[in-house]
Amino acid sequence: MNVAEKIRTSQRINFDEALSLYEMDFFELGELADIKRKALHDKKTYFNINRHINPTNICADVCKFCAYSANRKNPNPYTMSHEEIMQIVKDAYNRGIKEVHIVSAHNPDTGIEWYLDIFSKIKTAYPDLHIKALTAAEVDFLARHYHKSYDAILDLMIESGVDSMPGGGAEIFDEGVRDYICKGKVTSDQWLEIHQKWHERGKKSNVTMLFGHVEKREHRIDHMLRIRELQDKTGGFNCFIPLVYQTENNYLKIQDPITANEILKTMAISRIVLDNVPNIKAYWVTSTVNLALVAQEFGANDLDGTIERESINSAAGAASANGVNLQEFVALIKNTGFIPVERDSVYNEIKEW
Ligand code: V47
């Protein structure tokens, strides 16, 4: 049986078969991914109304791809006070956001309370606001810096009001590539261990993959298969988010940016390989809104949200600094023939727009 037949008859594919999909006819691959998308979500495209906050850019780690942290290429360090963060949350809440997504750099000078107490303050003031916060890279940094176990940090997060974990910091799990692009940060095994422990607490999280830099196709497939393996054990991942590498203001010298064709193939392959992860997000911030709309035909069923403000990817060249207008966003999804469905942070449907 060839790989297309295996996919059409819902059989799981292995590493070599997944890799071979990059050589398949582009439109046949898109059709196969669309079959999987339709079976799960039909023509629905999910989004949420959220606000990203990145409270500090001072970082103890050095990732070559990062343009956000304060360094020689971005000599502009900042750390927000809790009062500033609360003002941002208040304004955004009054505009109707349902989720706040808080991730930072690894600031060694603030004290652990600065990282955690803000969640209790937000939860006390806005009990119905979903807090998605702290990547596994931040959890690992806090554990190392403040001599605590992962279990202790995760329990403190829950006590402080964190509802779910974002998927950041996964980058590429292959150890060789990881050493080259972000040596010293959370390892792949540690990243997966932290999410496993989070899932074992009955909590949900997302998982990203940073691609389009020095990694090869086989590293992407390896990354997806490590996710699939953990998801078989825990079922805790809501969503897979392939992040397209942004090329500006950082220390990775990439001459040939990845093509739209390769991005769409990777999205489609992820929809097929990750047969146990319910949602694939085309994160418009890194793919552009236009390509994210096309990705709806290549397996993606989620376009993230309105975001309002974003500092990590926009520092590296993405056009996301000021988010996207809700009415325009909804109109674009409709114009492409899909049904815009607002969801909450754990994928309960709120409203069809
Ligand atoms: O982990 C850093 C990435 C991530 C660059 O869970 C870059 O719902 C592209 O994880 N080019 C943070 N990417 C963002 C993130 C995220 C975003 C949206 C939704 C969710 C979710 C998670 O941004 C980092 C890193 O992999 N990143 N620099 C760059 N030059």
Side-chain angles (χ1 to χ4, degrees):
M1 188 182 285
N2 70 27
V3 63
E5 280 164 349
K6 275 185 95 170
I7 295 166
R8 284 180 198 278
T9 53
S10 297
Q11 296 183 51
R12 191 164 257 200
I13 59 169
N14 63 28
F15 180 93
D16 290 333
E17 290 165 334
L19 192 58
S20 77
L21 294 177
Y22 276 107
E23 307 302 335
M24 182 179 264
D25 173 77
F26 180 65
F27 293 104
E28 186 182 359
L29 175 62
E31 190 210 334
L32 290 173
D34 196 45
I35 290 171
K36 300 292 159 199
R37 180 215 208 272
K38 282 211 183 91
L40 288 162
H41 310 288
D42 200 8
K43 298 292 275 185
K44 288 178 184 171
T45 291
Y46 292 118
F47 69 97
N48 74 351
I49 302 183
N50 62 352
R51 163 82 197 207
H52 283 212
I53 305 178
N54 306 122
T56 182
N57 68 348
I58 297 175
C59 199
D61 284 296
V62 185
C63 298
K64 286 199 177 105
F65 54 79
C66 182
Y68 166 65
S69 69
N71 59 39
R72 267 188 297 127
K73 294 208 174 185
N74 175 26
N76 188 21
Y78 72 83
T79 302
M80 292 179 186
S81 67
H82 281 188
E83 290 68 34
E84 280 175 87
I85 298 170
M86 287 306 286
Q87 188 62 47
I88 294 171
V89 175
K90 181 180 174 199
D91 293 345
Y93 186 82
N94 290 337
R95 281 192 297 273
I97 60 151
K98 308 276 193 327
E99 169 193 288
V100 63
H101 176 160
I102 302 181
V103 297
S104 279
H106 307 161
N107 189 328
D109 305 322
T110 59
I112 194 168
E113 302 74 25
W114 178 85
Y115 271 90
L116 293 170
D117 292 355
I118 189 63
F119 306 131
S120 344
K121 289 181 186 167
I122 295 172
K123 216 38 169 193
T124 305
Y126 311 102
D128 60 333
L129 185 60
H130 182 102
I131 303 176
K132 181 165 78 181
L134 294 184
T135 65
E138 288 171 282
V139 172
D140 173 71
F141 161 72
L142 291 174
R144 274 189 286 132
H145 197 65
Y146 296 102
H147 309 291
K148 291 186 185 296
S149 64
Y150 292 153
D151 288 303
I153 300 286
L154 296 173
D155 288 339
L156 284 169
M157 284 163 64
I158 292 173
E159 274 169 38
S160 312
V162 175
D163 295 294
S164 69
M165 275 179 72
E171 322 310 358
I172 278 281
F173 289 144
D174 175 83
E175 281 73 12
V177 177
R178 196 173 185 86
D179 258 13
Y180 180 70
I181 64 172
C182 57
K183 196 174 173 59
K185 196 161 91 163
V186 64
T187 66
S188 307
D189 285 345
Q190 289 166 336
W191 193 99
L192 291 162
E193 182 190 347
I194 290 166
H195 280 261
Q196 176 162 0
K197 286 177 178 294
W198 183 251
H199 298 166
E200 283 165 0
R201 285 164 168 74
K203 298 286 186 183
K204 295 287 187 180
S205 66
N206 292 335
V207 50
T208 57
M209 174 178 79
L210 182 66
F211 74 114
H213 43 89
V214 298
E215 93 292 350
K216 304 259 185 307
R217 288 171 169 176
E218 41 268 52
H219 300 130
R220 297 178 207 148
I221 302 297
D222 167 66
H223 190 93
M224 292 174 205
L225 291 179
R226 294 198 208 191
I227 295 166
R228 191 171 79 180
E229 194 184 334
L230 178 55
Q231 181 75 340
D232 274 344
K233 287 190 207 151
T234 67
F237 290 123
N238 270 333
C239 181
F240 175 66
I241 312 164
L243 298 168
V244 182
Y245 167 68
Q246 308 293 298
T247 56
E248 290 176 22
N249 306 321
N250 64 48
Y251 293 96
L252 271 186
K253 299 268 172 290
I254 303 301
Q255 305 297 338
D256 297 315
I258 190 169
T259 61
N261 178 295
E262 188 76 4
I263 293 169
L264 292 173
K265 281 183 178 179
T266 304
M267 297 253 183
I269 292 170
S270 73
R271 177 59 291 163
I272 293 164
V273 171
L274 293 172
D275 53 16
N276 53 2
V277 176
N279 300 288
I280 305 291
K281 185 182 289 186
Y283 187 46
W284 62 264
V285 166
T286 65
S287 66
T288 74
V289 173
N290 286 346
L291 199 64
L293 292 167
V294 179
Q296 295 173 109
E297 309 254 4
F298 286 78
N301 68 289
D302 188 303
L303 295 193
D304 198 81
T306 44
I307 291 173
E308 291 203 344
R309 195 158 291 278
E310 194 281 326
S311 309
I312 299 177
N313 300 110
S314 55
S320 52
N322 296 316
V324 68
N325 175 279
L326 176 60
Q327 299 301 335
E328 280 173 28
F329 199 53
V330 165
L332 286 168
I333 296 171
K334 277 191 180 164
N335 288 347
T336 47
F338 289 83
I339 305 165
V341 178
E342 183 187 342
R343 59 162 173 85
D344 70 11
S345 303
V346 287
Y347 289 85
N348 298 304
E349 293 186 7
I350 296 178
K351 175 180 162 184
E352 190 175 311
W353 283 67

